[in-house]
């Protein structure tokens, strides 16, 4: 899940319990508001998919730790840091952006976890092969 998708859906998700009596049936061939088919919409989303993704764990940590990556150019700088690490052949890297640390799987282009500055003190980052400061 892209973080932009998470942020867009964050306030729109409702939680229900139990099983739906009559769940809505949708067809993959249904069209969206603009008249495009599902396959075309999916292709468009795949083409738009640029930059790092965030694991469920990372999204949870962003929320728990009140880390706002939409502030300023944080997300852009994170992507740039991951690109730099990939250019150097890194596999798992620590990207430091302002006051936050992001542990990223470069080969999967996915943020594994996030840590704010207050929680970095006294911690040891293991299983990384590089650090990028952007």
């Amino acid at each position: 899940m892209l973080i932009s998708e998470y942020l867009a859906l964050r306030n729109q998700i409702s939680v229900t319990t139990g099983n739906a009596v009559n769940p809505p049936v949708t067809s993959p061939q249904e069209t969206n508001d603009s008249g495009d088919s599902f396959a075309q919409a999916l292709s468009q989303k795949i083409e738009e998919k640029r930059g790092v993704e965030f694991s469920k764990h990372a999204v949870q940590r962003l929320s728990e730790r009140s880390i706002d990556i939409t502030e300023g150019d944080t997300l852009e700088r994170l992507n740039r840091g991951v690109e730099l690490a990939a250019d150097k052949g890194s596999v798992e890297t620590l990207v430091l952006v302002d006051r936050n640390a992001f542990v990223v799987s470069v080969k999967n282009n996915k943020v594994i976890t996030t840590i704010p500055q207050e929680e970095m003190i006294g911690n040891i980052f293991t299983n990384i092969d590089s650090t990028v400061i952007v």
Side-chain angles (χ1 to χ4, degrees), residues 38-85:
F38 174 77
Q40 290 171 330
L42 181 60
S43 311
Q44 182 180 2
K45 282 290 182 188
I46 291 171
E47 289 175 17
E48 289 175 5
K49 184 179 171 182
R50 294 191 181 106
V52 295
E53 291 184 33
F54 286 74
S55 67
K56 289 180 184 179
H57 175 79
V59 170
Q60 182 181 4
R61 292 296 181 251
L62 285 169
S63 178
E64 287 174 358
R65 296 169 173 165
S66 299
I67 299 172
D68 185 7
I69 61 165
T70 61
E71 182 179 285
D73 61 348
T74 302
L75 191 55
E76 180 182 320
R77 292 171 58 204
L78 174 61
N79 283 316
R80 193 170 358 142
V82 174
E83 288 174 15
L84 290 169

Side-chain angles (χ1 to χ4, degrees), residues 20-31:
V21 177
N22 293 318
V25 178
T26 58
S27 166
Q29 295 301 320
E30 287 184 19
T31 59

Side-chain angles (χ1 to χ4, degrees), residues 16-24:
T16 56
T17 58
N19 294 328
V21 177
N22 293 318

